[in-house]
C-alpha cells in the first residue's frame, strides 16, 4: 500500500469552502488552536458559524485576576481562560441554554463591599438568586451540587471582587471530580452546547517563567504579561514551565494522550493571535507537543497579533516565529523540517513586506499579507479570519 501526500494551491478566502462550511457546520473542518487569553474569543464566536469541530488547547498557567484568587484558595490550575472560551463557543441562540449561559457569564462587581459580595454568592449557592432560579431542573440541581462543593471548601476571607460565577462553578467541579478539570469542562460544554472542543493543555497546577536578555528570571504569568504590573523592559530569551520556584524540565510535564490524539486529528493547526509567550508559546512547552504537530501533515499557520504585545518586546515577526518554533523543535528534534511545524505565516497588510521577507529568509516559511484588520483598528476582523482559516482545510 502506497501513501500519498497531496498539496494544493491556497486561495484565501476560498468561497466554495466557506459556503460549504457555513451550510453544514456539523461537518466543518477540525481547526486546532493553541491559545489562551481573550484575543481569540471574538474569532471563536465567528468560527462556530462555520464549524462545530474546532479544537482549543488552552493554557492553565494564568496567575492574574480572579483566577489567581482561586489558584491561591484551592491550589489549582487557572480556569478563567477556559471558561471564556467555552462561552465564546457556546450556542447563544434560543435553541441553546440562555439561562445557564447568563449564569456562567455573570461577574460580580469589582468595587462591591466584601459582605455584599459574599451575600450574593450565598444566594446563588442556595438557589435563591434570580440567575440560578431561572434554570430548570435537573440542570439547576447539578449546578448547585458543583457550587456546594465550592462553598464547602472556600476560605472565609476569599476575595469575590470581580469573580466570575462560571469560574466558581469550574472550581467546584474541579474539587468534586478529584481535582481534575477535564470532567467539569466536559460537563459545562454539554450544559451550554459548546460548538467545539475546549481542553486544558495539561491538567497541572503550574506557572510560566521566562528568562530576559538582561539576565533576570521572572516566574508568574501576570508579571510577564504587563497587564497588572509594569511591562518587562528587556526581551524574553527563553520560556519555561515552573512549580512557582524553579524551572521544570519539559519531560516532566507530558502532553496527555487525549490531547495528542486531538492534535493528530486536526485538519488545520493555528498558532493564533494573543500574548506571544503566555497565550501561545506556553501551550507548546509540554513534552510531546512538537512531535504531535510534526506528525500531522496539514496546513499550520501562525496568525501574529496586531498592535503592541508587551511580551514581544524587541521581537520582529521573524523573532516571533522563532519563539514558536523553539519549543516545538526542542521536542521533536532539530532535524525535523520547519514546514512540518509551520507552513505559513498569515498576517495583515499593515505588516511591512520587509518583515515578511525576513521570515522567508530566516525560516523558509511563506508569509501571506492579506487585508484582515478592522477599518482603522489594530484588531482582526473576526469574520475575515474565520473564513481564511476555514479555507485552509
Amino acid at each position: 500500500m502506497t501513501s500519498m501526500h497531496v498539496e494544493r494551491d491556497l486561495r484565501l478566502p476560498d468561497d466554495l469552502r466557506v459556503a460549504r462550511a457555513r451550510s453544514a457546520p456539523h461537518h466543518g473542518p477540525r481547526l486546532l488552536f493553541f491559545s489562551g487569553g481573550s484575543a481569540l474569543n471574538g474569532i471563536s464566536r465567528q468560527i462556530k458559524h462555520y464549524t462545530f469541530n474546532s479544537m482549543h488547547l488552552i493554557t492553565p498557567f494564568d496567575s492574574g485576576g480572579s483566577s489567581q484568587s482561586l489558584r491561591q484558595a484551592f491550589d489549582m490550575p487557572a480556569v478563567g481562560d477556559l471558561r471564556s472560551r467555552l462561552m465564546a463557543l457556546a450556542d447563544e441562540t434560543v435553541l441553546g441554554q440562555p439561562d445557564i449561559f447568563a449564569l456562567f457569564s455573570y461577574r460580580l462587581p469589582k468595587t462591591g463591599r466584601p459582605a455584599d459580595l459574599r451575600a450574593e454568592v450565598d444566594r446563588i449557592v442556595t438557589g435563591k438568586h434570580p440567575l440560578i432560579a431561572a434554570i430548570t431542573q435537573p440542570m439547576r440541581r447539578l449546578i448547585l451540587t458543583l457550587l456546594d462543593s465550592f462553598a464547602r471548601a472556600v476560605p472565609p476571607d476569599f476575595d469575590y471582587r470581580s469573580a466570575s460565577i462560571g469560574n466558581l462553578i469550574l472550581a467546584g467541579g474541579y474539587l468534586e471530580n478529584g481535582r481534575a478539570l477535564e470532567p467539569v469542562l466536559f460537563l459545562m460544554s454539554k450544559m451550554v452546547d459548546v460548538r467545539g472542543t475546549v481542553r486544558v493543555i495539561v491538567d497541572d497546577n503550574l506557572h510560566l517563567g521566562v528568562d530576559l536578555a538582561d539576565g533576570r528570571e521572572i516566574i508568574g504569568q501576570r508579571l510577564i504579561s504587563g497587564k497588572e504590573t509594569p511591562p518587562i523592559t528587556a526581551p524574553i530569551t527563553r520560556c519555561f514551565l515552573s512549580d512557582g520556584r524553579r524551572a521544570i524540565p519539559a519531560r516532566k510535564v507530558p502532553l496527555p494522550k487525549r490531547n495528542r490524539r486531538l492534535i493528530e486529528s486536526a485538519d488545520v493547526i493555528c498558532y493564533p493571535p494573543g500574548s506571544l509567550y503566555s497565550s501561545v508559546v506556553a501551550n507548546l512547552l509540554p513534552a510531546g507537543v512538537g512531535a504531535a504537530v510534526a506528525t500531522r501533515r496539514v496546513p499550520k499557520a501562525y496568525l501574529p497579533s496586531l498592535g503592541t504585545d508587551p511580551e514581544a518586546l524587541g521581537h520582529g515577526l521573524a523573532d516571533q516565529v522563532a519563539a514558536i518554533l523553539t519549543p516545538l523543535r526542542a521536542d521533536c528534534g532539530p532535524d525535523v523540517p520547519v514546514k512540518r511545524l509551520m507552513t505559513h505565516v498569515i498576517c495583515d497588510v499593515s505588516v511591512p513586506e520587509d518583515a515578511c521577507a525576513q521570515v522567508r529568509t530566516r525560516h523558509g516559511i511563506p508569509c501571506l499579507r492579506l487585508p484582515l484588520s478592522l477599518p482603522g483598528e489594530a484588531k482582526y476582523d473576526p469574520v475575515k479570519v474565520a473564513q481564511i482559516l476555514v479555507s485552509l482545510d
Side-chain angles (χ1 to χ4, degrees):
M1 184 176 186
T2 302
S3 62
M4 181 179 296
H5 176 58
V6 179
E7 296 184 357
R8 66 178 177 86
D9 293 331
L10 287 176
R11 179 182 177 186
L12 301 175
D14 186 314
D15 294 340
L16 179 60
R17 281 180 165 77
V18 169
R20 185 173 62 195
R22 184 85 191 199
S23 65
H26 283 94
H27 302 291
R30 298 172 65 85
L31 311 178
L32 183 133
F33 299 92
F34 292 105
S35 85
S38 59
L40 191 64
N41 285 346
I43 295 171
S44 297
R45 286 191 169 89
Q46 288 300 320
I47 284 172
K48 67 187 177 186
H49 295 299
Y50 300 92
T51 179
F52 296 168
N53 301 313
S54 65
M55 304 174 290
H56 303 250
L57 293 174
I58 308 290
T59 167
F61 312 129
D62 191 355
S63 64
S66 61
S67 284
Q68 177 65 358
S69 298
L70 289 171
R71 298 198 73 177
Q72 291 174 338
F74 300 117
D75 191 27
M76 65 180 291
V79 295
D81 291 341
L82 291 157
R83 177 200 53 79
S84 68
R85 190 61 51 80
L86 287 169
M87 296 303 100
L89 291 168
D91 181 359
E92 298 180 63
T93 72
V94 293
L95 299 177
Q97 297 284 352
D99 294 330
I100 299 177
F101 182 90
L103 176 68
F104 288 173
S105 302
Y106 181 64
R107 189 175 291 276
L108 296 171
K110 186 176 183 179
T111 57
R113 293 174 57 245
D116 294 338
L117 297 177
R118 283 195 298 273
E120 183 169 10
V121 172
D122 286 343
R123 289 196 300 275
I124 294 173
V125 170
T126 57
K128 299 175 183 178
H129 194 285
L131 281 173
I132 189 74
I135 299 171
T136 58
Q137 300 289 13
M139 287 295 192
R140 187 199 314 167
R141 184 177 301 111
L142 186 54
I143 293 170
L144 287 173
T145 299
L146 302 181
L147 283 168
D148 183 63
S149 294
F150 166 82
R152 284 187 283 107
V154 69
D157 60 347
F158 185 80
D159 186 359
Y160 286 106
R161 289 176 298 177
S162 202
S164 161
I165 299 303
N167 288 0
L168 306 189
I169 294 170
L170 279 170
Y174 175 78
L175 300 173
E176 182 78 8
N177 289 281
R179 303 184 70 82
L181 281 174
E182 283 301 318
V184 68
L185 289 174
F186 177 81
L187 180 60
M188 188 176 278
S189 295
K190 295 302 181 184
M191 285 181 175
V192 291
D193 194 12
V194 168
R195 303 300 179 86
T197 299
V198 177
R199 289 185 185 167
V200 61
I201 186 72
V202 289
D203 200 344
D204 292 319
N205 184 25
L206 298 174
H207 293 271
L208 199 64
V210 296
D211 291 333
L212 303 183
D214 61 9
R216 287 182 295 154
E217 178 183 274
I218 296 178
I219 295 178
Q221 176 270 343
R222 71 183 185 88
L223 301 177
I224 298 168
S225 68
K227 294 176 181 177
E228 299 181 20
T229 60
I232 56 178
T233 56
I236 293 173
T237 58
R238 182 174 79 107
C239 187
F240 56 87
L241 296 177
S242 167
D243 60 6
R245 300 181 301 276
R246 61 185 67 86
I248 297 176
R251 67 178 183 277
K252 293 189 175 182
V253 189
L255 180 73
K257 290 182 180 179
R258 61 183 178 273
N259 289 344
R260 184 191 68 201
R261 290 192 292 267
L262 208 66
I263 296 169
E264 292 174 351
S265 71
D267 296 318
V268 175
I269 293 174
C270 180
Y271 311 103
S275 299
L276 178 60
Y277 287 95
S278 62
S279 291
V280 183
V281 173
N283 287 294
L284 311 179
L285 297 174
V289 174
V293 169
T295 298
R296 191 65 176 160
R297 302 292 187 93
V298 296
K300 300 161 188 175
Y302 173 41
L303 193 67
S305 294
L306 298 177
T308 301
D309 178 3
E311 296 182 12
L313 175 68
H315 287 47
L317 183 57
D319 300 316
Q320 295 174 48
V321 171
I324 291 171
L325 293 176
T326 295
L328 296 173
R329 303 202 79 171
D331 185 71
C332 67
D335 295 332
V336 172
V338 169
K339 68 178 182 179
R340 296 270 294 277
L341 303 173
M342 185 183 298
T343 59
H344 300 83
V345 174
I346 299 175
C347 58
D348 185 61
V349 291
S350 60
V351 175
E353 173 56 38
D354 287 350
C356 288
Q358 290 178 23
V359 171
R360 290 190 291 268
T361 300
R362 282 180 56 182
H363 304 293
I365 299 173
C367 185
L368 309 178
R369 298 169 69 244
L370 301 169
L372 297 177
S373 63
L374 292 167
E377 297 187 56
K379 295 181 180 179
Y380 284 110
D381 183 320
V383 175
K384 289 182 178 179
V385 170
Q387 293 181 352
I388 292 294
L389 293 175
V390 169
S391 299
L392 292 176
D393 174 32

